[in-house]
């Protein structure tokens, strides 16, 4: 028996409610989840894994609650950072992207992360970006200058609760080119970037060029789901500029607000207090972790904490997760059937901000069927 089968046997009730970061999301039978996927230019590390294990956990929790999740996880295979990484290796950027994407999907499968229902790749959505750019121009939300199309972004920083100085710093850090002389304002962003030597280019009504990063995600999410999503997920470091501009462009396109009913901004993984990144040389590779620990231990180390909280990796974190998982498995071995009260309590905890840690406490204490059901539901077998 599974949580899902028990849910189907429950008497008909009202809409299912899931709360993320204090925002209740009421759902009937389906939920649209857009997850910002990888830019495939480097190997999978624990920071990547944390984001996608939490997306997988949201997906699994929704099923526990009787809601069918539909997940779209994109691949940003047209991106300046990918082109620059390919240049360093001497490989064509699209070959590097295909190679790293293949490795990433293998890593996710090894970790028990279920494949998404949709996996659009940016290079297949260039035409959709062109239509997006034309629509934003028609709405006067963008302007054409020097062969590029720019989205008016001055208000985006204010909406995100940032000062202009903070927003400009982040824009520069994430390749937003605030010093581009073609812009009317430094916080405007390219929907369509005019062609430059050494970068891929496609024809457009404004001349050869390539899609902007934020515009790619808008085109993919709108093409797959239409207007808006129930949940938009990604790392906390994408909150600004990427997610803020994505939402602003999508709302300017459709006229419907908010674009996302709730956001899953997964906390950053650090090492000695420094964000895990290739540039800092502190990557903890998923392949290395899975050579030393079962996938269920790595999963538990990631989700046995509040999803939005940043955390510092040390080997002791995985050792503690292994001990915690052993307790859960021992509890699951008790010959006790799952009690309705325990099951409902676990459901309520998971629905309240994905309260995995509290749900695990209940399952370990109750043991038997409740522990077995939660172990299977969270992919911890």
């Amino acid at each position: 028996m599974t949580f899902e089968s028990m849910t189907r046997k429950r008497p008909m009730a009202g809409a299912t409610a899931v709360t993320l970061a204090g925002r209740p999301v009421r759902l009937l039978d389906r939920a649209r989840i857009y997850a910002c996927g990888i830019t495939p230019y480097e190997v999978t590390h624990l920071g990547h894994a944390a984001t996608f294990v939490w997306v997988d956990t949201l997906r699994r929790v929704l099923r526990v609650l009787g809601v069918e999740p539909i997940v779209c996880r994109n691949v940003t295979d047209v991106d300046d950072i990918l082109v620059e990484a390919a240049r360093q290796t001497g490989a064509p950027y699209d070959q590097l992207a295909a190679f790293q994407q293949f490795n990433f999907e293998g890593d996710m499968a090894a970790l028990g992360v279920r494949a998404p229902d949709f996996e659009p790749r940016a290079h297949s959505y260039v035409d959709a970006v062109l239509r997006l750019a034309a629509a934003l121009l028609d709405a006067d939300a963008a302007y054409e200058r020097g062969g590029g199309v720019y989205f008016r972004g001055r208000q985006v920083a204010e909406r995100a609760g940032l000062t202009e100085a903070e927003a400009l710093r982040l824009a520069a850090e994430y390749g937003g080119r605030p010093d581009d002389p073609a812009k009317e304002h430094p916080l405007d962003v390219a929907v369509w970037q005019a062609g430059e030597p050494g970068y891929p280019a496609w024809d457009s009504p404004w001349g050869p060029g390539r899609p902007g990063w934020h515009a790619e995600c808008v085109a993919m999410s709108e093409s797959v789901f239409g207007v808006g999503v129930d949940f938009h997920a990604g790392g906390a470091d994408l909150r600004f500029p990427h997610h803020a501009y994505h939402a602003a462009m999508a709302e300017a396109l459709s006229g419907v607000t908010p674009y996302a009913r709730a956001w899953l901004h997964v906390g950053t993984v650090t090492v000695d207090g420094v964000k895990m990144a290739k540039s800092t040389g502190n990557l903890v590779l998923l392949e290395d972790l899975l050579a030393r620990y079962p996938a269920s231990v790595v999963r538990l180390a990631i989700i046995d904490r509040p999803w939005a909280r940043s955390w510092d990796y040390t080997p002791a974190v995985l050792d503690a997760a292994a001990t915690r998982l052993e307790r859960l498995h021992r509890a699951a071995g008790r010959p006790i059937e799952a009690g309705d009260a325990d099951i409902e309590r676990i459901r309520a905890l998971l629905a309240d901000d994905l309260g995995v840690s509290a749900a695990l406490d209940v399952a370990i204490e109750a043991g038997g069927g409740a522990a077995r059901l939660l172990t299977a539901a969270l992919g911890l077998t």
Side-chain angles (χ1 to χ4, degrees):
M1 182 172 289
T2 64
F3 269 112
E4 292 93 327
S5 63
M6 294 182 74
T7 297
R8 286 194 290 269
K9 294 178 180 179
R10 295 165 73 197
M12 185 175 294
T16 299
V18 179
T19 300
L20 283 187
R23 182 185 292 273
V25 180
R26 291 175 179 81
L27 302 160
L28 294 180
D29 53 1
R30 293 187 180 185
R32 302 157 300 165
I33 304 171
Y34 184 84
C36 278
I38 62 163
T39 300
Y41 72 98
E42 62 180 358
V43 292
T44 312
H45 58 71
L46 183 59
H48 295 141
T51 294
F52 300 116
V53 167
W54 270 116
V55 174
D56 188 60
T57 300
L58 171 61
R59 184 184 202 174
R60 290 169 179 268
V61 166
L62 288 169
R63 283 210 171 99
V64 164
L65 300 173
V67 174
E68 181 62 25
I70 305 168
V71 177
C72 175
R73 186 183 71 208
N74 77 291
V75 181
T76 306
D77 62 357
V78 178
D79 190 87
D80 289 1
I81 195 171
L82 168 62
V83 173
E84 289 154 12
R87 203 175 284 145
Q88 292 174 11
T89 66
Y93 82 95
D94 51 352
Q95 288 185 16
L96 175 62
F99 176 76
Q100 295 292 19
Q101 178 65 17
F102 176 82
N103 290 337
F104 168 78
E105 289 175 352
D107 290 336
M108 292 298 100
L111 200 50
V113 172
R114 296 171 178 175
D117 301 284
F118 299 94
E119 195 170 35
R121 289 164 169 77
H123 79 268
S124 298
Y125 286 78
V126 174
D127 284 348
V129 173
L130 293 175
R131 292 193 294 273
L132 170 65
L136 293 174
L137 286 169
D138 287 344
D140 197 32
Y143 56 93
E144 187 272 334
R145 186 73 55 80
V149 176
Y150 296 90
F151 178 74
R152 303 183 192 280
R154 187 172 194 168
Q155 78 288 354
V156 178
E158 184 178 345
R159 261 184 51 169
L162 299 175
T163 65
E164 187 165 301
E166 291 171 325
L168 287 171
R169 177 182 61 79
L170 289 169
E173 181 180 342
Y174 286 92
R177 301 186 176 190
D179 56 351
D180 183 347
K183 293 181 178 182
E184 291 180 356
H185 189 276
L187 288 175
D188 296 344
V189 295
V191 181
W192 185 256
Q193 183 71 50
E196 296 171 291
Y199 290 91
W202 291 261
D203 290 333
S204 84
W206 313 285
R210 61 193 184 279
W213 175 31
H214 316 309
E216 289 174 338
C217 267
V218 176
M220 288 184 278
S221 67
E222 293 284 329
S223 295
V224 171
F225 287 131
V227 177
V229 296
D230 298 301
F231 303 98
H232 189 126
D237 56 337
L238 296 180
R239 187 188 303 267
F240 189 94
H242 188 48
H243 288 169
Y245 278 97
H246 181 141
M249 281 189 199
E251 290 167 7
L253 172 69
S254 69
V256 176
T257 57
Y259 150 73
R261 298 173 68 195
W263 295 83
L264 186 79
H265 285 127
V266 177
T268 303
V269 183
T270 59
V271 177
D272 295 327
V274 178
K275 176 186 169 184
M276 196 175 295
K278 186 176 183 179
S279 59
T280 56
N282 65 349
L283 296 183
V284 177
L285 301 185
L286 184 59
E287 181 182 21
D288 294 342
L289 293 181
L290 292 176
R292 301 199 304 271
Y293 296 90
S296 53
V297 169
V298 179
R299 285 184 68 97
L300 187 58
I302 290 169
I303 65 175
D304 194 10
R305 64 186 72 250
W307 56 266
R309 182 183 299 168
S310 295
W311 55 284
D312 205 60
Y313 166 78
T314 66
V317 171
L318 288 173
D319 293 336
T323 300
R324 173 89 148 157
L325 186 65
E326 178 64 22
R327 290 182 62 206
L328 177 65
H329 287 174
R330 285 184 180 177
R334 296 181 212 152
I336 307 169
E337 292 302 315
D340 288 346
D342 291 328
I343 293 301
E344 288 306 312
R345 192 174 170 203
I346 288 171
R347 274 201 188 96
L349 290 167
L350 292 175
D352 184 9
D353 221 23
L354 307 181
V356 170
S357 295
L360 286 167
D361 291 340
V362 171
I364 290 170
E365 181 181 352
R372 289 190 292 274
L373 287 169
L374 188 63
T375 298
L378 295 179
L380 298 175
T381 51

